[in-house]
Amino acid sequence: NAGVIQTPRHKVTGKGQEATLWCEPISGHSAVFWYRQTIVQGLEFLTYFRNQAPIDDSGMPKERFSAQMPNQSHSTLKIQSTQPQDSAVYLCASSLDGGQNTLYFGAGTRLSVL
Amino acid sequence: GDKVKQSPSALSLQEGTNSALRCNFSIAATTVQWFLQNPRGSLINLFYLVPGTKENGRLKSAFDSKESYSTLHIRDAQLEDSGTYFCAAEAGNRIFFGDGTQLVVKP
C-alpha cells in the first residue's frame, strides 16, 4: 500500500498560468478530500468527493478553482489563471468512507506562483 | 480555525518529560482525529476517536463530546516527537482543523 500519492511534489507557475494537481487515493477508499495549507490560514478545507461524486465544495474559491474525480483511482484539482495568493501546499486525503473514518494524507503539492 | 481551538500554539519540552495538548470545539463534533505533521510536511494520523479514550505507546488521547474538547497526552517525550500536532473534528460532512501546536523536544 503506497498510501495517498500526490503529483507533482512541487510546481512553479507564472502568474496567469494554469496548474493541475493530481491525487491518487488509497485503493479501496471511497472518499477523497482536498485541503490547502498556508502559514496564515492554516489547513483549509476545499472540497470532498465520495464514490467519485462531489459532496461538498463549499471551501473552493468560486472562481478559477475546480476539482474532478473522473474515476476511483484519481482526483484532480485545477487552478486557472493562477495568482500569487494561490501559493500554498495542497493536500489530498482519502478515507474508507466519507463518514467517520480515519483520514490518510498524501505528502502534498507545493505550488509556487511567481 | 475558529471552530477548533488548539492550545498551546507552541510548546518546548525537555526530553523525557510529559505534556498535554488540548482542542476545544465550538461545533458539535462527532469524531476527533489527531495528526502529527513532521518536518518533511507529511501529516501522520495518530488517533481516530469517537467519545472516549485511546492509547498508543507513549501517546494517549481523550475526546469528551459533551464538554466539547479533546486532549493528547505525550509521555516521556522523545526528540522524534517534534513537529506540529493538529486536531481535527468532524461535524456533519465536514472535518475542521485547528491551527496546530508546534512542539519542540530538546535533548
Side-chain angles (χ1 to χ4, degrees):
Chain A
N1 187 342
V4 176
I5 299 171
Q6 289 189 250
T7 55
R9 288 297 312 276
H10 303 275
K11 186 168 181 67
V12 180
T13 65
K15 184 178 173 181
Q17 292 183 330
E18 182 178 287
T20 300
L21 313 180
W22 293 69
C23 172
E24 181 181 328
I26 292 172
S27 177
H29 282 194
S30 63
V32 170
F33 301 79
W34 284 96
Y35 286 84
R36 175 169 66 180
Q37 186 176 27
T38 61
I39 292 174
V40 173
Q41 298 293 333
L43 271 160
E44 298 177 278
F45 168 81
L46 295 176
T47 189
Y48 155 45
F49 294 87
R50 180 189 289 168
N51 294 321
Q52 300 170 231
I55 302 299
D56 182 350
D57 66 353
S58 58
M60 292 277 275
K62 296 306 177 191
E63 297 178 355
R64 303 187 295 106
F65 281 64
S66 62
Q68 294 183 335
M69 191 161 184
N71 57 59
Q72 64 186 8
S73 64
H74 88 273
S75 174
T76 58
L77 179 68
K78 185 180 291 187
I79 308 171
Q80 295 178 314
S81 185
T82 54
Q83 303 297 310
Q85 61 265 31
D86 299 332
S87 298
V89 176
Y90 289 82
L91 291 160
C92 175
S94 72
S95 70
L96 264 177
D97 189 326
Q100 305 196 346
N101 261 284
T102 301
L103 280 179
Y104 295 90
F105 278 88
T109 293
R110 181 175 295 278
L111 176 66
S112 298
V113 182
L114 305 179
Chain B
D2 56 350
K3 295 178 175 58
V4 178
K5 292 289 188 187
Q6 283 192 245
S7 60
S9 57
L11 183 61
S12 180
L13 288 179
Q14 208 67 30
E15 194 176 12
T17 59
N18 307 330
S19 190
L21 314 180
R22 185 177 175 107
C23 276
N24 290 309
F25 312 119
S26 61
I27 51 176
T30 54
T31 68
V32 171
Q33 301 188 49
W34 283 91
F35 298 86
L36 168 60
Q37 189 165 39
N38 61 26
R40 289 174 56 193
S42 297
L43 274 160
I44 301 161
N45 195 290
L46 301 174
F47 289 104
Y48 174 90
L49 293 158
V50 293
T53 62
K54 278 190 179 179
E55 192 165 356
N56 184 4
R58 296 178 293 101
L59 302 179
K60 182 176 179 179
S61 186
F63 169 36
D64 187 329
S65 58
K66 291 181 181 177
E67 299 297 323
S68 299
Y69 76 91
S70 177
T71 56
L72 177 68
H73 292 261
I74 303 172
R75 176 174 53 82
D76 184 24
Q78 301 297 303
L79 299 178
E80 60 265 27
D81 296 334
S82 296
T84 303
Y85 289 79
F86 290 95
C87 69
E90 180 171 9
N93 271 331
R94 298 282 298 274
I95 297 176
F96 301 90
F97 279 79
D99 289 335
T101 294
Q102 289 188 326
L103 174 66
V104 174
V105 180
K106 297 181 178 178

mmCIF file of all heavy atoms in Angstrom, chain A residues 20-43:
data_model
loop_
_atom_site.group_PDB
_atom_site.id
_atom_site.type_symbol
_atom_site.label_atom_id
_atom_site.label_comp_id
_atom_site.label_asym_id
_atom_site.label_seq_id
_atom_site.Cartn_x
_atom_site.Cartn_y
_atom_site.Cartn_z
ATOM 1 N N THR A 20 -2.464 22.101 -12.652
ATOM 2 C CA THR A 20 -3.278 20.913 -12.373
ATOM 3 C C THR A 20 -2.534 20.025 -11.405
ATOM 4 O O THR A 20 -1.388 19.646 -11.650
ATOM 5 C CB THR A 20 -3.591 20.140 -13.666
ATOM 6 O OG1 THR A 20 -4.318 20.994 -14.552
ATOM 7 C CG2 THR A 20 -4.452 18.920 -13.350
ATOM 8 N N LEU A 21 -3.204 19.717 -10.311
ATOM 9 C CA LEU A 21 -2.614 18.883 -9.271
ATOM 10 C C LEU A 21 -3.343 17.540 -9.248
ATOM 11 O O LEU A 21 -4.573 17.500 -9.400
ATOM 12 C CB LEU A 21 -2.747 19.570 -7.904
ATOM 13 C CG LEU A 21 -2.347 21.056 -7.851
ATOM 14 C CD1 LEU A 21 -2.517 21.599 -6.447
ATOM 15 C CD2 LEU A 21 -0.943 21.271 -8.351
ATOM 16 N N TRP A 22 -2.562 16.471 -9.040
ATOM 17 C CA TRP A 22 -3.115 15.123 -9.115
ATOM 18 C C TRP A 22 -3.065 14.418 -7.766
ATOM 19 O O TRP A 22 -2.123 14.603 -6.998
ATOM 20 C CB TRP A 22 -2.316 14.294 -10.129
ATOM 21 C CG TRP A 22 -2.471 14.748 -11.528
ATOM 22 C CD1 TRP A 22 -2.006 15.898 -12.093
ATOM 23 C CD2 TRP A 22 -3.150 14.047 -12.571
ATOM 24 N NE1 TRP A 22 -2.356 15.981 -13.417
ATOM 25 C CE2 TRP A 22 -3.045 14.842 -13.742
ATOM 26 C CE3 TRP A 22 -3.830 12.836 -12.638
ATOM 27 C CZ2 TRP A 22 -3.611 14.459 -14.949
ATOM 28 C CZ3 TRP A 22 -4.375 12.451 -13.847
ATOM 29 C CH2 TRP A 22 -4.271 13.249 -14.990
ATOM 30 N N CYS A 23 -4.081 13.587 -7.550
ATOM 31 C CA CYS A 23 -4.132 12.811 -6.318
ATOM 32 C C CYS A 23 -4.618 11.398 -6.642
ATOM 33 O O CYS A 23 -5.641 11.230 -7.316
ATOM 34 C CB CYS A 23 -5.075 13.462 -5.312
ATOM 35 S SG CYS A 23 -5.381 12.462 -3.832
ATOM 36 N N GLU A 24 -3.873 10.415 -6.134
ATOM 37 C CA GLU A 24 -4.297 9.020 -6.260
ATOM 38 C C GLU A 24 -4.606 8.520 -4.854
ATOM 39 O O GLU A 24 -3.701 8.387 -4.024
ATOM 40 C CB GLU A 24 -3.193 8.184 -6.886
ATOM 41 C CG GLU A 24 -3.549 6.721 -7.067
ATOM 42 C CD GLU A 24 -2.401 5.931 -7.685
ATOM 43 O OE1 GLU A 24 -1.642 6.519 -8.490
ATOM 44 O OE2 GLU A 24 -2.261 4.740 -7.353
ATOM 45 N N PRO A 25 -5.875 8.258 -4.542
ATOM 46 C CA PRO A 25 -6.207 7.824 -3.190
ATOM 47 C C PRO A 25 -5.753 6.395 -2.941
ATOM 48 O O PRO A 25 -5.369 5.675 -3.868
ATOM 49 C CB PRO A 25 -7.738 7.928 -3.154
ATOM 50 C CG PRO A 25 -8.150 7.748 -4.575
ATOM 51 C CD PRO A 25 -7.062 8.348 -5.396
ATOM 52 N N ILE A 26 -5.807 5.995 -1.701
ATOM 53 C CA ILE A 26 -5.507 4.609 -1.351
ATOM 54 C C ILE A 26 -6.555 3.706 -2.002
ATOM 55 O O ILE A 26 -7.760 4.015 -1.969
ATOM 56 C CB ILE A 26 -5.488 4.428 0.181
ATOM 57 C CG1 ILE A 26 -4.290 5.194 0.769
ATOM 58 C CG2 ILE A 26 -5.429 2.960 0.566
ATOM 59 C CD1 ILE A 26 -4.266 5.240 2.284
ATOM 60 N N SER A 27 -6.105 2.631 -2.577
ATOM 61 C CA SER A 27 -7.002 1.706 -3.263
ATOM 62 C C SER A 27 -8.082 1.209 -2.302
ATOM 63 O O SER A 27 -7.788 0.772 -1.178
ATOM 64 C CB SER A 27 -6.195 0.517 -3.803
ATOM 65 O OG SER A 27 -7.046 -0.418 -4.407
ATOM 66 N N GLY A 28 -9.337 1.315 -2.767
ATOM 67 C CA GLY A 28 -10.443 0.864 -1.930
ATOM 68 C C GLY A 28 -11.095 1.960 -1.109
ATOM 69 O O GLY A 28 -12.168 1.768 -0.553
ATOM 70 N N HIS A 29 -10.426 3.120 -1.026
ATOM 71 C CA HIS A 29 -11.014 4.237 -0.302
ATOM 72 C C HIS A 29 -12.032 4.943 -1.195
ATOM 73 O O HIS A 29 -11.758 5.218 -2.362
ATOM 74 C CB HIS A 29 -9.933 5.221 0.136
ATOM 75 C CG HIS A 29 -9.176 4.780 1.335
ATOM 76 N ND1 HIS A 29 -8.370 5.641 2.054
ATOM 77 C CD2 HIS A 29 -9.107 3.581 1.953
ATOM 78 C CE1 HIS A 29 -7.836 4.975 3.080
ATOM 79 N NE2 HIS A 29 -8.267 3.723 3.026
ATOM 80 N N SER A 30 -13.191 5.253 -0.611
ATOM 81 C CA SER A 30 -14.248 5.835 -1.429
ATOM 82 C C SER A 30 -14.343 7.350 -1.277
ATOM 83 O O SER A 30 -15.074 7.998 -2.032
ATOM 84 C CB SER A 30 -15.598 5.207 -1.066
ATOM 85 O OG SER A 30 -15.922 5.510 0.279
ATOM 86 N N ALA A 31 -13.649 7.920 -0.313
ATOM 87 C CA ALA A 31 -13.753 9.362 -0.079
ATOM 88 C C ALA A 31 -12.418 10.039 -0.314
ATOM 89 O O ALA A 31 -11.368 9.523 0.094
ATOM 90 C CB ALA A 31 -14.226 9.644 1.337
ATOM 91 N N VAL A 32 -12.461 11.177 -0.988
ATOM 92 C CA VAL A 32 -11.260 11.969 -1.268
ATOM 93 C C VAL A 32 -11.522 13.404 -0.863
ATOM 94 O O VAL A 32 -12.559 13.983 -1.187
ATOM 95 C CB VAL A 32 -10.885 11.904 -2.762
ATOM 96 C CG1 VAL A 32 -9.779 12.922 -3.083
ATOM 97 C CG2 VAL A 32 -10.424 10.502 -3.135
ATOM 98 N N PHE A 33 -10.550 13.962 -0.152
ATOM 99 C CA PHE A 33 -10.652 15.336 0.352
ATOM 100 C C PHE A 33 -9.480 16.144 -0.187
ATOM 101 O O PHE A 33 -8.366 15.640 -0.300
ATOM 102 C CB PHE A 33 -10.566 15.366 1.878
ATOM 103 C CG PHE A 33 -11.617 14.568 2.592
ATOM 104 C CD1 PHE A 33 -11.513 13.188 2.713
ATOM 105 C CD2 PHE A 33 -12.699 15.200 3.182
ATOM 106 C CE1 PHE A 33 -12.469 12.449 3.389
ATOM 107 C CE2 PHE A 33 -13.662 14.470 3.862
ATOM 108 C CZ PHE A 33 -13.545 13.095 3.964
ATOM 109 N N TRP A 34 -9.714 17.411 -0.462
ATOM 110 C CA TRP A 34 -8.643 18.355 -0.808
ATOM 111 C C TRP A 34 -8.607 19.459 0.243
ATOM 112 O O TRP A 34 -9.656 20.025 0.602
ATOM 113 C CB TRP A 34 -8.875 18.983 -2.181
ATOM 114 C CG TRP A 34 -8.574 18.088 -3.343
ATOM 115 C CD1 TRP A 34 -9.444 17.317 -4.052
ATOM 116 C CD2 TRP A 34 -7.287 17.909 -3.965
ATOM 117 N NE1 TRP A 34 -8.785 16.662 -5.070
ATOM 118 C CE2 TRP A 34 -7.473 17.003 -5.043
ATOM 119 C CE3 TRP A 34 -6.007 18.416 -3.722
ATOM 120 C CZ2 TRP A 34 -6.419 16.604 -5.871
ATOM 121 C CZ3 TRP A 34 -4.967 18.016 -4.552
ATOM 122 C CH2 TRP A 34 -5.187 17.118 -5.599
ATOM 123 N N TYR A 35 -7.400 19.747 0.705
ATOM 124 C CA TYR A 35 -7.159 20.834 1.643
ATOM 125 C C TYR A 35 -6.028 21.700 1.102
ATOM 126 O O TYR A 35 -5.217 21.270 0.294
ATOM 127 C CB TYR A 35 -6.738 20.298 3.022
ATOM 128 C CG TYR A 35 -7.839 19.680 3.832
ATOM 129 C CD1 TYR A 35 -8.213 18.354 3.639
ATOM 130 C CD2 TYR A 35 -8.521 20.417 4.795
ATOM 131 C CE1 TYR A 35 -9.233 17.784 4.390
ATOM 132 C CE2 TYR A 35 -9.537 19.853 5.558
ATOM 133 C CZ TYR A 35 -9.884 18.538 5.339
ATOM 134 O OH TYR A 35 -10.897 17.981 6.087
ATOM 135 N N ARG A 36 -5.979 22.925 1.599
ATOM 136 C CA ARG A 36 -4.894 23.848 1.258
ATOM 137 C C ARG A 36 -4.281 24.324 2.569
ATOM 138 O O ARG A 36 -5.004 24.640 3.524
ATOM 139 C CB ARG A 36 -5.458 25.032 0.465
ATOM 140 C CG ARG A 36 -4.463 26.120 0.163
ATOM 141 C CD ARG A 36 -5.013 27.116 -0.840
ATOM 142 N NE ARG A 36 -6.148 27.875 -0.336
ATOM 143 C CZ ARG A 36 -6.774 28.808 -1.058
ATOM 144 N NH1 ARG A 36 -6.376 29.059 -2.298
ATOM 145 N NH2 ARG A 36 -7.796 29.468 -0.541
ATOM 146 N N GLN A 37 -2.957 24.362 2.619
ATOM 147 C CA GLN A 37 -2.277 24.772 3.850
ATOM 148 C C GLN A 37 -1.344 25.935 3.579
ATOM 149 O O GLN A 37 -0.477 25.875 2.700
ATOM 150 C CB GLN A 37 -1.481 23.603 4.451
ATOM 151 C CG GLN A 37 -0.883 23.934 5.812
ATOM 152 C CD GLN A 37 -0.187 22.745 6.453
ATOM 153 O OE1 GLN A 37 0.306 21.845 5.768
ATOM 154 N NE2 GLN A 37 -0.156 22.730 7.781
ATOM 155 N N THR A 38 -1.546 27.002 4.332
ATOM 156 C CA THR A 38 -0.638 28.145 4.310
ATOM 157 C C THR A 38 -0.332 28.523 5.745
ATOM 158 O O THR A 38 -1.055 28.134 6.680
ATOM 159 C CB THR A 38 -1.255 29.369 3.601
ATOM 160 O OG1 THR A 38 -2.448 29.746 4.330
ATOM 161 C CG2 THR A 38 -1.619 29.072 2.169
ATOM 162 N N ILE A 39 0.739 29.276 5.920
ATOM 163 C CA ILE A 39 1.105 29.700 7.272
ATOM 164 C C ILE A 39 0.021 30.593 7.854
ATOM 165 O O ILE A 39 -0.339 30.482 9.023
ATOM 166 C CB ILE A 39 2.469 30.412 7.254
ATOM 167 C CG1 ILE A 39 3.565 29.398 6.915
ATOM 168 C CG2 ILE A 39 2.747 31.072 8.604
ATOM 169 C CD1 ILE A 39 4.926 30.009 6.727
ATOM 170 N N VAL A 40 -0.531 31.474 7.015
ATOM 171 C CA VAL A 40 -1.505 32.459 7.513
ATOM 172 C C VAL A 40 -2.856 31.808 7.796
ATOM 173 O O VAL A 40 -3.464 32.026 8.847
ATOM 174 C CB VAL A 40 -1.664 33.612 6.498
ATOM 175 C CG1 VAL A 40 -2.782 34.554 6.921
ATOM 176 C CG2 VAL A 40 -0.351 34.363 6.365
ATOM 177 N N GLN A 41 -3.341 30.986 6.878
ATOM 178 C CA GLN A 41 -4.707 30.439 7.001
ATOM 179 C C GLN A 41 -4.759 29.048 7.629
ATOM 180 O O GLN A 41 -5.838 28.559 7.971
ATOM 181 C CB GLN A 41 -5.372 30.382 5.615
ATOM 182 C CG GLN A 41 -5.549 31.728 4.947
ATOM 183 C CD GLN A 41 -6.534 32.608 5.681
ATOM 184 O OE1 GLN A 41 -7.436 32.125 6.366
ATOM 185 N NE2 GLN A 41 -6.353 33.909 5.569
ATOM 186 N N GLY A 42 -3.610 28.407 7.752
ATOM 187 C CA GLY A 42 -3.614 27.050 8.284
ATOM 188 C C GLY A 42 -4.171 26.065 7.277
ATOM 189 O O GLY A 42 -4.049 26.257 6.069
ATOM 190 N N LEU A 43 -4.818 25.019 7.777
ATOM 191 C CA LEU A 43 -5.390 23.972 6.921
ATOM 192 C C LEU A 43 -6.829 24.350 6.577
ATOM 193 O O LEU A 43 -7.694 24.389 7.435
ATOM 194 C CB LEU A 43 -5.376 22.630 7.645
ATOM 195 C CG LEU A 43 -4.133 21.784 7.477
ATOM 196 C CD1 LEU A 43 -4.021 20.758 8.585
ATOM 197 C CD2 LEU A 43 -4.145 21.090 6.117
#
